[in-house]
């Protein structure tokens, strides 16, 4: 933390943020100047006096986390990163919002050093921060010792009216209070303005009382342009022992602009040259565009202090490692996102066990068995469910609720699907955890934007979606997933796996836990799925996403099935063979994994010379045409379901071996 300085210097430091923000936005002819101008004073106090970070090592594990939940104000963050010494030079600032720059329109963690999480969809950064605070407190409870606090950092958030209007803010802030996340400190930019104008017309909540009801420490009516009041508020927040803190900062959007201060016109459009010149004159900034005086750079530069902070921590960690070598090694492995040495042996042994046992059970139950086996090897697995643990089967014998923060590994999220998924993103971004969380597949829609953000960031999250079709039965169309699986498949960098039995489920979990490039969605059945016997050669091909489960000497038709429909396809294939129709059955547990295979393998599985193809999946058919072609047939559901017993519904909607046979004979012109 830098030495505290006088208010004149603070003003110049804050104005450097304002000037860079205006210049970059004007040059791009695009952006949001209002928030950076309004929150610059808050940023100055936080980043200069309190935030613990090392610009030369943005990944230092014990750094404080800073999250810009109101991500449209990204130039504030980029200005801070540039000024404090991160790898973000002035040319990148000048290249704001341009193709392949490190300064995109909203902060993206995979592009810019110092950006902890990708933000922009309002409220999600706040939710990510809750996940980060959970991660910090959980790691601390496991690895800190009475004589050594090696995990000890805060999570700071900038948020605005828009974030607090979003429903996700209720989900996550309510939970944060319940979990007593005292090292979570949120600055609320209470400027009273959003895109459409004065928020009094649509946002009259008593925000302070709302957060007090969540059991937060609320500091009201802080002047967001008073360095003393801001410092006092942060000191107050740091003393909180069992509550997260909301600092309500009264600010002026577009601060310093003679014609736009306090108006919605400053929110989301460049000031333009004339207003920028007037604003700079008004705040006392007499420099050319993108010009920062050296003395201001010197005041902002945090490289020396950051190196000292990390060096001291490294010394402390060396002492910790000498005294607690096992814990130190495990913590380093987890933070590096490396699996333990015994992982390959034990995961393969479990797959062999599944093949030996040949159980016919629901794949949601098979998933629980996988968690039971794999979590014993991976203490970093951080589980949870949106109040459906007994249905999603996300609990295992070693589950320990995160409540008192004594080495827990399971979060009871309550009915908060969106909040759960975004919290998972935060915990994953923090490092040290592989989060998994469950709900019904039809409710994946509530989580969709957070899953999308997980895919953009390439986070290792496991989203468990059970009750995957009309097979769940009597709960009816409100709970029966139809279009959800394909909508998840449409998210780039998101892997969707719908296994057909215990063995494929074991492979699916193994893939998810090894996948370092993005999230994995497991689509699991409520009803039992018959175990499919395989040769060793077939087992070796499961990890290619699709493989031949049953083949024929002559190849008249190919059936492609997933999940619970595979056993129906196998039954139909046997009956077709009895009719003299050579039938191949493909189990395509993951379209994404299969699509990434070589052209040679794809041709081997789905030879182009065989155009007679049928896909069978109890969901919408939109994704299957690229596999069955124009001459093929899709057996699926393109309407909503019905309320009735699951087995009855499957027959009603045509998921029977006889229906498959009928369509095969039509394709082959035998009917």
């Amino acid at each position: 933390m830098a030495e505290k300085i006088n208010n004149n210097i603070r003003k110049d430091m804050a104005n450097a943020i304002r000037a860079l923000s205006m210049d970059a936005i004007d040059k791009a002819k695009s952006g949001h100047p209002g928030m950076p101008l309004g929150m610059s004073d808050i940023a100055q106090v936080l980043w200069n006096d309190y935030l613990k970070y090392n610009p030369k090592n943005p990944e230092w594990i014990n750094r404080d986390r800073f999250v810009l939940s109101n991500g449209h104000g990204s130039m504030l963050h980029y200005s801070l990163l540039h000024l404090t010494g991160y790898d973000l030079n002035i040319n990148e600032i000048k290249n704001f919002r341009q193709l392949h720059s490190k300064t995109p329109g909203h902060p993206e963690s995979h592009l810019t050093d110092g950006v902890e999480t990708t933000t922009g969809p309002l409220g999600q950064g706040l939710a990510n921060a809750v996940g980060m605070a959970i991660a910090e407190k959980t790691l601390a409870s496991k690895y800190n010792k009475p004589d050594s606090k090696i995990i000890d950092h805060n999570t700071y958030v900038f948020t605005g009216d828009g974030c607090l209007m979003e429903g996700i803010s209720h989900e996550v802030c309510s939970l944060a209070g319940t979990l007593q996340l005292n090292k979570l400190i949120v600055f609320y930019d209470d400027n009273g303005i959003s895109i459409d104008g004065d928020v009094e017309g649509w946002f009259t909540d008593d925000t302070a009382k709302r957060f007090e009801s969540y059991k937060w420490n609320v500091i009201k009516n802080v002047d967001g342009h008073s360095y003393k009041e801001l410092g006092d508020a942060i000191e107050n927040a740091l003393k909180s022992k069992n509550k997260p803190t909301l600092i309500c900062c009264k600010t002026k959007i577009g601060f310093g602009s003679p014609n736009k201060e306090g108006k919605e016109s400053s929110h989301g459009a460049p000031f333009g040259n004339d207003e920028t010149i007037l604003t700079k004159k008004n705040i006392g900034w007499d420099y050319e565009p993108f010009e920062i005086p050296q003395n201001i750079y010197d005041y902002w530069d945090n490289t020396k202090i950051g190196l000292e902070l990390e060096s001291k921590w490294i010394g402390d960690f060396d002492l910790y490692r000498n005294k607690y070598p096992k814990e130190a090694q495990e913590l380093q492995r987890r933070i590096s996102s490396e699996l333990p040495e015994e992982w390959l042996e034990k995961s393969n042994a479990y797959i062999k066990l599944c093949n030996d046992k040949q159980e016919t059970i629901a794949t949601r139950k098979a998933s629980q068995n996988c968690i039971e086996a794999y979590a014993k090897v991976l203490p970093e697995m951080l589980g949870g469910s949106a109040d459906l643990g007994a249905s999603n089967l996300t609990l295992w014998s070693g589950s320990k609720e995160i409540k008192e923060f004594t080495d827990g590994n399971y979060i009871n999220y309550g009915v908060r699907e969106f909040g759960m998924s975004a919290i998972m993103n935060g915990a994953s971004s923090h490092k040290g955890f592989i989060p998994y969380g469950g709900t019904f597949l039809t409710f994946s829609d509530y989580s969709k934007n957070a899953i999308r953000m997980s895919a953009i960031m390439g986070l290792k999250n496991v989203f468990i979606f059970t009750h995957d079709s009309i097979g769940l039965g009597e709960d009816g169309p409100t709970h029966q997933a139809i279009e959800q699986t394909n909508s998840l498949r449409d998210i780039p960098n998101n892997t969707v796996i719908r296994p057909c039995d215990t063995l494929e489920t074991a492979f699916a979990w193994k893939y998810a836990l090894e996948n370092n490039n993005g999230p994995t969605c497991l689509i699991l059945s409520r009803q039992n799925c018959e175990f499919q016997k395989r040769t060793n050669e077939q087992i070796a091909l499961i990890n290619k996403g699709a493989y031949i489960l049953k083949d024929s000497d002559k190849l008249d038709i190919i059936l492609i099935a997933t999940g619970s429909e595979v056993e129906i396809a196998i039954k139909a294939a046997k009956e077709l063979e009895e009719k003299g129709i050579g039938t191949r059955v493909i189990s395509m547990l993951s379209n994404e994994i299969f699509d990434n295979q070589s052209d040679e393998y794809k041709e081997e599985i789905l030879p182009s010379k065989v155009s007679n193809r049928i896909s069978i999946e109890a969901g919408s058919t939109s994704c299957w045409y690229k596999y069955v072609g124009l001459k093929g047939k899709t057996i699926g559901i393109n309407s909503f379901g019905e309320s009735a017993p699951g087995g009855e519904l499957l027959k009603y909607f045509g998921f029977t071996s006889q229906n498959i046979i009928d369509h095969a004979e039509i394709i082959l012109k035998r009917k």
Side-chain angles (χ1 to χ4, degrees):
M1 293 175 288
E3 180 183 350
K4 293 187 178 181
I5 52 181
N6 69 54
N7 285 353
N8 288 331
I9 294 171
R10 288 186 186 280
K11 178 182 174 183
D12 287 341
M13 293 172 71
N15 284 341
I17 299 172
R18 294 183 173 108
L20 283 176
S21 297
M22 287 187 288
D23 291 341
I25 292 167
D26 281 350
K27 186 174 186 297
K29 295 182 173 56
S30 172
H32 299 74
M35 185 280 258
L37 271 65
M39 296 195 78
S40 290
D41 295 314
I42 306 171
Q44 193 283 323
V45 174
L46 175 62
W47 280 63
N48 184 77
D49 295 358
Y50 295 98
L51 197 70
K52 182 175 65 177
Y53 62 102
N54 178 9
K56 297 307 176 187
N57 181 15
E59 297 299 316
W60 173 37
I61 188 60
N62 205 40
R63 68 192 182 278
D64 288 337
R65 274 32 175 205
F66 173 76
V67 176
L68 194 77
S69 189
N70 41 359
H72 55 271
S74 58
M75 265 313 305
L76 176 137
H77 202 174
Y78 300 145
S79 298
L80 287 164
L81 296 175
H82 169 70
L83 291 166
T84 54
Y86 283 86
D87 182 20
L88 198 69
N89 62 43
I90 196 67
N91 289 327
E92 292 291 351
I93 300 296
K94 293 177 180 179
N95 210 25
F96 177 57
R97 287 187 163 223
Q98 304 309 301
L99 185 64
H100 299 149
S101 75
K102 293 182 180 180
T103 50
H106 291 82
E108 298 186 40
S109 59
H110 66 291
L111 290 179
T112 314
D113 287 347
V115 173
E116 300 287 357
T117 182
T118 300
T119 59
L122 293 177
Q124 285 201 58
L126 176 58
N128 296 165
V130 173
M132 293 175 188
I134 290 172
E136 188 276 341
K137 203 162 186 176
T138 305
L139 281 178
S141 71
K142 181 174 179 64
Y143 293 104
N144 285 356
K145 304 295 180 182
D147 60 346
S148 183
K149 286 189 174 183
I150 53 166
I151 301 296
D152 184 16
H153 51 267
N154 298 306
T155 302
Y156 296 97
V157 189
F158 278 11
T159 189
D161 293 299
C163 291
L164 298 189
M165 282 186 252
E166 291 283 2
I168 192 173
S169 71
H170 166 76
E171 294 186 24
V172 301
C173 292
S174 171
L175 185 61
T178 299
L179 295 179
Q180 302 182 356
L181 301 177
N182 62 297
K183 297 174 99 172
L184 173 65
I185 300 172
V186 178
F187 296 85
Y188 167 34
D189 182 28
D190 184 11
N191 61 38
I193 296 293
S194 67
I195 293 175
D196 283 346
D198 189 333
V199 300
E200 281 295 321
W202 47 86
F203 186 50
T204 57
D205 305 15
D206 188 328
T207 300
K209 285 185 179 178
R210 172 185 162 194
F211 275 77
E212 286 171 351
S213 77
Y214 295 154
K215 298 181 173 59
W216 281 54
N217 170 37
V218 179
I219 305 171
K220 307 173 187 176
N221 298 316
V222 174
D223 183 346
H225 305 295
S226 166
Y227 304 118
K228 182 180 186 307
E229 288 191 30
L230 289 165
D232 289 346
I234 296 172
E235 293 288 347
N236 178 322
L238 292 172
K239 292 174 184 175
S240 177
K241 298 300 181 185
N242 59 2
K243 294 181 178 182
T245 296
L246 180 73
I247 303 175
C248 301
C249 302
K250 288 290 184 182
T251 65
K252 297 176 182 177
I253 190 170
F255 179 90
S257 170
N259 299 301
K260 293 179 179 287
E261 180 181 282
K263 299 178 181 178
E264 65 269 20
S265 59
S266 72
H267 172 85
F271 279 2
N273 186 62
D274 291 346
E275 187 66 19
T276 296
I277 291 172
L278 289 173
T279 303
K280 288 182 178 179
K281 182 178 180 181
N282 196 37
I283 64 176
W285 187 263
D286 188 22
Y287 303 100
E288 294 297 312
F290 299 103
E291 180 186 355
I292 305 294
Q294 186 58 49
N295 69 312
I296 300 301
Y297 271 124
D298 292 341
Y299 280 120
W300 267 118
D301 186 14
N302 198 63
T303 53
K304 181 181 177 183
I305 294 169
L307 286 168
E308 289 173 353
L309 285 169
E310 185 175 2
S311 294
K312 181 183 182 306
W313 182 85
I314 289 171
D316 292 342
F317 189 72
D318 285 341
L319 294 174
Y320 179 91
R321 180 167 36 227
N322 290 334
K323 197 167 184 180
Y324 309 104
K326 181 180 177 182
E327 290 91 336
Q329 183 181 27
E330 183 177 84
L331 177 60
Q332 285 186 303
R333 178 190 65 74
R334 287 176 57 167
I335 292 167
S336 301
S337 299
E338 297 175 359
L339 299 177
E341 290 181 4
E342 67 268 31
W343 165 251
L344 190 61
E345 176 188 349
K346 292 194 174 182
S347 60
N348 286 338
Y350 180 69
I351 285 171
K352 183 178 184 303
L353 177 65
C354 290
N355 192 51
D356 291 343
K357 291 179 75 172
Q358 300 187 10
E359 290 182 292
T360 291
I361 55 177
T363 53
R364 62 169 176 160
K365 178 59 181 175
S367 171
Q368 184 182 44
N369 293 344
C370 291
I371 296 170
E372 182 75 32
Y374 294 150
K376 291 175 181 176
V377 188
L378 302 176
E380 57 264 47
M381 287 176 66
L382 178 65
S385 173
D387 202 47
L388 288 168
S391 294
N392 302 146
L393 303 185
T394 47
L395 289 154
W396 63 289
S397 64
S399 290
K400 188 175 183 181
E401 184 181 355
I402 287 178
K403 192 169 184 180
E404 302 301 327
F405 286 97
T406 50
D407 190 15
N409 59 13
Y410 192 87
I411 302 171
N412 284 314
Y413 285 102
V415 186
R416 300 180 176 103
E417 294 90 353
F418 193 5
M420 173 183 71
S421 302
I423 286 171
M424 288 167 62
N425 288 348
S428 185
S429 296
H430 179 279
K431 302 296 185 188
F433 292 96
I434 303 175
Y436 67 92
T439 187
F440 290 172
L441 177 57
T442 193
F443 302 142
S444 65
D445 289 332
Y446 288 144
S447 300
K448 194 69 59 65
N449 206 275
I451 298 169
R452 184 174 184 272
M453 297 298 285
S454 181
I456 289 174
M457 289 188 271
L459 299 177
K460 182 189 282 192
N461 286 324
V462 187
F463 297 102
I464 298 171
F465 296 119
T466 68
H467 297 61
D468 65 352
S469 71
I470 56 171
L472 72 88
E474 292 86 347
D475 278 343
T478 60
H479 284 54
Q480 291 165 2
I482 300 298
E483 75 279 14
Q484 281 77 13
T485 300
N486 279 343
S487 69
L488 290 168
R489 287 170 176 149
D490 284 340
I491 299 174
N493 199 40
N494 181 43
T495 302
V496 178
I497 308 179
R498 188 169 186 247
C500 77
D501 65 2
T502 57
L503 189 62
E504 286 191 359
T505 305
F507 268 96
W509 261 104
K510 187 173 188 292
Y511 174 92
L513 294 168
E514 293 174 351
N515 179 16
N516 289 319
N517 300 314
T520 305
C521 295
L522 304 182
I523 313 298
L524 306 169
S525 73
R526 176 179 184 262
Q527 71 272 31
N528 288 346
C529 293
E530 184 179 327
F531 184 87
Q532 302 298 322
K533 294 183 179 180
R534 303 166 180 85
T535 64
N536 289 334
E537 290 76 12
Q538 288 173 314
I539 293 172
L541 295 174
I542 294 176
N543 62 8
K544 291 186 178 292
Y547 61 102
I548 301 169
L549 187 56
K550 180 197 173 301
D551 212 359
S552 178
D553 291 336
K554 72 167 186 167
L555 197 49
D556 296 316
I557 195 165
I558 298 175
L559 307 181
I560 309 168
T562 78
S564 52
E565 289 71 73
V566 167
E567 65 183 75
I568 305 170
I570 289 289
K571 183 179 179 183
K574 291 177 180 177
E575 294 179 31
L576 286 167
E577 289 284 351
E578 292 173 2
K579 292 172 175 276
I581 299 173
T583 307
R584 171 179 290 183
V585 176
I586 304 298
S587 176
M588 189 175 286
L589 60 158
S590 176
N591 302 36
E592 295 80 19
I593 297 174
F594 176 68
D595 288 348
N596 285 327
Q597 302 307 313
S598 67
D599 290 341
E600 290 77 13
Y601 182 76
K602 286 186 276 191
E603 176 66 21
E604 180 184 339
I605 299 300
L606 293 172
S608 51
K609 66 181 180 180
V610 183
S611 60
N612 299 321
R613 303 176 184 181
I614 300 175
S615 68
I616 309 106
E617 184 176 64
S620 64
T621 61
S622 58
C623 84
W624 291 107
Y625 292 98
K626 71 175 179 178
Y627 302 110
V628 301
L630 295 177
K631 295 183 179 180
K633 169 65 181 175
T634 61
I635 297 177
I637 307 174
N638 292 309
S639 65
F640 294 114
E642 298 279 353
S643 178
E648 200 174 306
L649 287 174
L650 289 168
K651 291 178 183 177
Y652 175 77
F653 282 99
F655 294 98
T656 64
S657 59
Q658 187 57 54
N659 190 43
I660 297 171
I661 292 167
D662 290 344
H663 282 294
E665 291 183 331
I666 290 170
I667 289 173
L668 294 168
K669 297 182 172 54
R670 296 195 180 185
K671 267 195 175 182

